Amino acid sequence: MTDPTPTPTPGIHHVTCIAGDPQRNVDFWAGTLGLRLVKRSVNQDDPGTYHFFFADAEGTPGTSMTFFPWESLPRGAVGTGQVSRTAFRVPAGCLDYWEERFDAHGVDYGDRIERFGETVLPFRDPDGLPVELVEARIDGDDPTVPWTEFVPESAAIRGFHSVTLWLADPKPTGELLRTMGLEERDTEPTPADDPGDERTRFAAAGPVGAYVDVVRADESGRQGHGTVHHVAFQTPTDEDQAAMREAVQSAGLRPTQQIDRHWFRSVYFREFAGVLFELATNAPGYTSDEPLDELGERLVLPGPFEDRRGAIEDALPDVTVPRAETADANDR
Ligand code: ZN
């Protein structure tokens, strides 16, 4: 019997989304947003599809946004039972830079919003995925490491800020978040053009990806391009994960057994309102199979997939990762 009170999660570990064209996905997330492609691999359940991991310079837990470019799927619709918004931290005062950059790159962005005393810049990626930049205080001892190939340190994305969940009934999910160690922090009315009447913020203790906002919403959604597939929370060690798994199971959910995802070990479950949650260990990490200065340069095929490299490579479309030395003036 494990301790019934699990170690609180420090926050989000990664967010995984569904994209369309893989080249367009890499051009936007690595080129326009300036994240580092830290891992180029395949979907471990569908090795004919890429799995891209975009993160900070070192793939720090709490910074990786990952995509399955499933070209055959249709465009999705963000709705109830999904992560509706994924927000990233950026240094205070840099949103003018981002608006200019978005103008130069033709990115679809909205007006700035004030939310819980912070300034938020909403935009969409080329598949229509709703994303936000949130101005945050980033201290000298911040665990994230900026990747500055395309975006200067003064504006570089520094890991997740939060996810927003749209839920038919936020109450059981709120209880679950408490079980996972988040605390209910604050509630404020949602703007008139947003779903729901109010947004409630839950906060974890970690410096990165600490917030989960829940909104009661009744928007019909459909998984496809431009939607989030799942959100993973950090359970740094196997012991943390086992205890959290047990707590989640005791709460009435049905977590999977631990699955080896090569760069972390994972447990999955659908929470009460239908959002797919994952618990992910911090080890072994993205530098376990490639040197730090070569992350993302080659296709990495975990375990048994390496034996099928020829066939897998032949089936995947060619993708070129944008590099600063070949970028045009707009990218500088
Ligand atoms: Zn995952």
Side-chain angles (χ1 to χ4, degrees):
M1 198 64 192
T2 336
D3 186 329
T5 306
T7 307
T9 177
I12 296 165
H13 182 284
H14 65 268
V15 174
T16 295
C17 310
I18 302 170
D21 181 66
Q23 183 66 61
R24 193 175 61 174
N25 182 249
V26 169
D27 284 346
F28 185 80
W29 284 87
T32 304
L33 293 185
L35 292 178
R36 184 177 190 190
L37 179 69
V38 294
K39 202 61 67 180
R40 187 188 315 206
S41 189
V42 292
N43 182 314
Q44 292 179 34
D45 301 314
D46 172 19
T49 299
Y50 277 116
H51 192 181
F52 297 134
F53 298 71
F54 304 96
D56 75 347
E58 299 188 359
T60 308
T63 69
S64 54
M65 184 73 161
T66 97
F67 288 89
F68 301 132
W70 269 315
E71 288 193 87
S72 61
L73 280 190
R75 177 96 170 221
V78 176
T80 299
Q82 294 180 14
V83 173
S84 64
R85 301 285 183 269
T86 305
F88 293 90
R89 303 152 75 228
V90 291
C94 75
L95 291 182
D96 287 345
Y97 169 90
W98 280 105
E99 285 171 350
E100 276 173 37
R101 187 168 178 84
F102 287 169
D103 283 333
H105 288 256
V107 177
D108 172 17
Y109 68 94
D111 293 334
R112 296 183 194 182
I113 304 163
E114 290 295 317
R115 188 191 289 154
F116 296 119
E118 296 173 314
T119 308
V120 181
L121 177 64
F123 64 100
R124 289 179 184 268
D125 90 342
D127 286 297
L129 181 79
V131 194
E132 298 171 334
L133 299 178
V134 184
E135 289 191 337
R137 227 190 64 204
I138 293 165
D139 297 328
D141 60 353
D142 196 83
T144 66
V145 184
W147 179 247
T148 56
E149 186 173 14
F150 291 105
V151 174
E153 180 169 350
S154 58
I157 289 173
R158 304 294 290 271
F160 292 108
H161 174 274
S162 56
V163 289
T164 300
L165 312 180
W166 281 357
L167 308 170
D169 177 7
K171 216 168 198 150
T173 305
E175 280 307 312
L176 172 67
L177 293 171
R178 284 187 197 91
T179 298
M180 292 170 63
L182 288 86
E183 287 176 9
E184 187 171 331
R185 179 66 64 83
D186 206 355
T187 294
E188 68 174 36
T190 55
D193 48 354
D194 261 12
D197 335 303
E198 57 182 30
R199 169 184 289 262
T200 300
R201 172 156 291 177
F202 290 82
V208 187
Y211 302 123
V212 177
D213 290 358
V214 302
V215 174
R216 184 194 312 275
D218 184 22
E219 310 281 308
S220 68
R222 182 184 66 234
Q223 207 148 69
H225 301 167
T227 61
V228 172
H229 188 266
H230 64 265
V231 53
F233 294 91
Q234 296 177 45
T235 44
T237 68
D238 289 318
E239 292 70 30
D240 295 334
Q241 187 182 61
M244 189 72 82
R245 183 185 178 283
E246 191 168 307
V248 162
Q249 195 163 37
S250 299
L253 294 164
R254 297 171 59 193
T256 64
Q257 295 298 318
Q258 189 188 65
I259 298 171
D260 184 1
R261 290 306 189 193
H262 192 66
W263 303 286
F264 38 84
R265 292 178 288 279
S266 301
V267 168
Y268 299 85
F269 59 93
R270 222 165 262 288
E271 56 81 42
F272 296 105
V275 184
L276 186 59
F277 277 16
E278 174 183 343
L279 309 173
T281 59
N282 286 351
Y286 300 121
T287 53
S288 61
D289 57 0
E290 289 181 299
L292 182 60
D293 60 355
E294 293 173 17
L295 287 179
E297 289 183 4
R298 60 186 284 275
L299 183 72
V300 176
L301 296 174
F305 297 113
E306 184 58 45
D307 298 338
R308 294 157 54 196
R309 175 174 286 273
I312 288 172
E313 283 183 343
D314 286 349
L316 290 169
D318 285 336
V319 164
T320 309
V321 180
R323 296 258 75 119
E325 57 269 25
T326 58
D328 63 37
N330 276 347
D331 285 325
R332 305 296 168 119

